[in-house]
Amino acid sequence: MQYAPLGKTGLRVSRLGFGAMRLPMTGDGDQATVDTDVAIAMIHRAFAAGVNYIDTAVGYCNGDSQRVVGEAVRTWGRPIVVSTKNPCFTRDESEWWRTLEQSLERLGLPRIDVYHHHAVNGVSFDEFVLPHMAAWMRKAKDQGLIKHIACSFHDTNDVLRRIVDSGYPEVITVQYNLLDRRLEDGIAYAHERGIGVVVMGPVGGGRLGVADSAALLSAAPSAARRVPELALRFVLSNPAVDVALSGMSAMAHVEENVCVASDARLLTPEEQQAICGQLERLRKMSELYCTGCGYCLPCPKGVAIPKIFERYNLGRVWGLWGPARQAYRNLGTLAWDPGSRADACSDCGLCESKCPQKIPIRRQLKEAHEALLDSKNT
Ligand code: SF4
Ligand code: SF4
């Protein structure tokens, strides 16, 4: 297993972390709970292979992840670094403390090693974290309930730099993978300044498939046999990344991940360049279908044409059918994601006369709708 210092925390952590957000479940829908025996066997297999960092959160696995993570850690003979989170949009101090107490109770542990403000962005950092929650975090640290302060982060490089420059968090957890390298500069900036860098989604949420996987794998033929393996190796080859947190849902994922993280072979600059070249080709291929320019809008029926094509491409170009279908089902149901799905189209044809790509929009909308609701495309 590869290890790295987690910034200046003094912790030495495995570069592969166990993400406990997709543990195997038993039961249906909202009533489903984590399949304790299977999940603990998976977690212990990862610990046995040298993984010593595990991350959970209040809401993961129908709110049952912390219980199982706690049991797995308590029944393991050696120290494990436990990370969890507290939501970051509240000014209510008693609510914040209640969340911390509940997490400690569910985990069954006396303290949390790395405690995150969950899903921080520029607005929440300025309006909630710094003026209110930072004092609560420091108090919890003084009381020995938490060891290190962290932020899980979703925003731009500029905001990330600003948070790093504030000198507040000791660790940041950010999204970074082959398909989403937007925060690469911010990650390097944080690492240079001694902030521990944890990456979530290193293999695209565990489902990175890539439709044209043969071409991608041919870019670095000796590095990996499967795209998820290549994706994890790609993230671990970035020296600014201390921990790659992989959400593992089956023993096969655990075995594949520990195998990659135990092998110190990094991708060469030439291999990385070749992989990025292949990804760029795939990205261009998706732009041939729809560039997202929005000239076809507005649609009189509110059909969110470019968003639908973007989700369709997520499946047919990148092989990410699971997230694509989820995002399509959610379209129009969340305040920040307005618009109608393709079945609202009345076939008026207005959009097609405005599309510079000459896309047969109506036909492609129908295809997208069928594919995105097709349970075979998972
Ligand atoms: S053809 Fe359908 S998607 Fe295009 S503008 Fe008319 S209703 Fe909207
Ligand atoms: S006008 Fe054409 S290319 Fe532009 S967003 Fe609409 S469908 Fe896509």
Side-chain angles (χ1 to χ4, degrees):
M1 180 59 55
Q2 303 171 49
Y3 292 89
L6 185 62
K8 292 181 184 164
T9 61
L11 296 170
R12 187 165 173 75
V13 288
S14 53
R15 295 197 71 211
L16 174 66
F18 198 114
M21 71 288 282
R22 271 187 291 278
L23 295 172
M25 304 291 283
T26 177
D28 293 325
D30 294 348
Q31 304 305 313
T33 55
V34 175
D35 188 332
T36 307
D37 291 346
V38 178
I40 289 184
M42 284 167 50
I43 296 170
H44 281 177
R45 170 69 190 106
F47 289 171
V51 169
N52 72 350
Y53 188 99
I54 187 161
D55 175 81
T56 178
V58 174
Y60 289 173
C61 307
N62 278 350
D64 200 31
S65 170
Q66 288 181 328
R67 173 187 68 81
V68 174
V69 166
E71 192 176 333
V73 169
R74 290 194 314 275
T75 52
W76 187 249
R78 292 190 291 280
I80 298 294
V81 177
V82 175
S83 152
T84 191
K85 315 181 183 82
N86 196 319
C88 72
F89 282 94
T90 183
R91 290 189 179 89
D92 183 340
E93 184 172 355
S94 57
E95 185 187 330
W96 189 89
W97 283 100
R98 206 161 40 246
T99 302
L100 171 56
E101 283 156 17
Q102 280 171 354
S103 291
L104 288 166
E105 206 173 288
R106 282 186 196 146
L107 287 162
L109 298 171
R111 80 190 62 77
I112 291 159
D113 299 296
V114 180
Y115 201 42
H116 287 78
H117 298 286
H118 198 172
V120 171
N121 60 23
V123 173
S124 63
F125 191 72
D126 293 339
E127 293 185 11
F128 296 90
V129 173
L130 271 193
H132 303 285
M133 298 173 171
W136 313 335
M137 271 284 201
R138 289 186 177 117
K139 197 167 160 191
K141 193 172 172 181
D142 290 344
Q143 291 177 2
L145 299 175
I146 66 169
K147 278 192 185 165
H148 300 287
I149 297 171
C151 292
S152 74
F153 175 83
H154 300 268
D155 210 326
T156 62
N157 278 304
D158 287 347
V159 176
L160 181 52
R161 280 167 192 262
R162 194 156 60 72
I163 290 175
V164 168
D165 289 341
S166 75
Y168 174 62
E170 300 166 79
V171 175
I172 51 146
T173 296
V174 297
Q175 176 89 27
Y176 173 64
N177 60 51
L178 266 176
L179 303 183
D180 184 0
R181 296 170 55 207
R182 285 173 294 183
L183 290 177
E184 206 159 69
D185 290 348
I187 287 171
Y189 188 79
H191 179 74
E192 280 162 18
R193 279 148 190 82
I195 306 290
V197 176
V198 179
V199 158
M200 52 185 149
V203 287
R207 290 161 292 196
L208 184 58
V210 180
D212 194 0
S213 60
L216 193 58
L217 289 167
S218 72
S222 63
R225 285 155 300 155
R226 295 192 337 113
V227 171
E229 186 185 340
L230 185 73
L232 182 58
R233 208 177 285 289
F234 183 87
V235 169
L236 291 174
S237 297
N238 184 335
V241 174
D242 298 324
V243 180
L245 204 56
S246 180
M248 295 177 244
S249 57
M251 195 60 98
H253 291 159
V254 179
E255 296 294 353
E256 182 170 66
N257 283 346
V258 297
C259 187
V260 175
S262 300
D263 169 6
R265 181 196 186 301
L266 303 177
L267 295 172
T268 64
E270 293 73 31
E271 285 172 332
Q272 290 185 41
Q273 208 175 3
I275 291 164
C276 292
Q278 285 293 348
L279 286 169
E280 193 52 31
R281 188 183 64 76
L282 283 163
R283 205 181 304 279
K284 287 204 172 110
M285 194 172 115
S286 68
E287 282 171 7
L288 278 182
Y289 300 128
C290 170
T291 61
C293 69
Y295 293 150
C296 50
L297 300 176
C299 155
K301 296 293 179 187
V303 177
I305 302 166
K307 281 189 199 174
I308 293 168
F309 288 160
E310 189 191 347
R311 285 158 212 209
Y312 190 22
N313 282 335
L314 205 58
R316 65 179 172 174
V317 179
W318 302 112
L320 288 163
W321 283 108
R325 290 181 65 228
Q326 186 67 43
Y328 186 62
R329 285 183 194 283
N330 287 344
L331 181 59
T333 64
L334 302 166
W336 50 265
D337 191 23
S340 299
R341 297 193 309 197
D343 51 347
C345 172
S346 66
D347 222 20
C348 72
L350 269 179
C351 53
E352 288 182 10
S353 59
K354 294 188 279 185
C355 175
Q357 301 293 107
K358 304 286 176 233
I359 291 174
I361 293 176
R362 287 172 289 183
R363 179 164 57 78
Q364 291 228 357
L365 281 176
K366 285 193 183 79
E367 286 172 15
H369 186 74
E370 276 168 29
L372 290 167
L373 291 184
D374 181 354
S375 59
K376 289 199 293 290
N377 285 325
T378 54

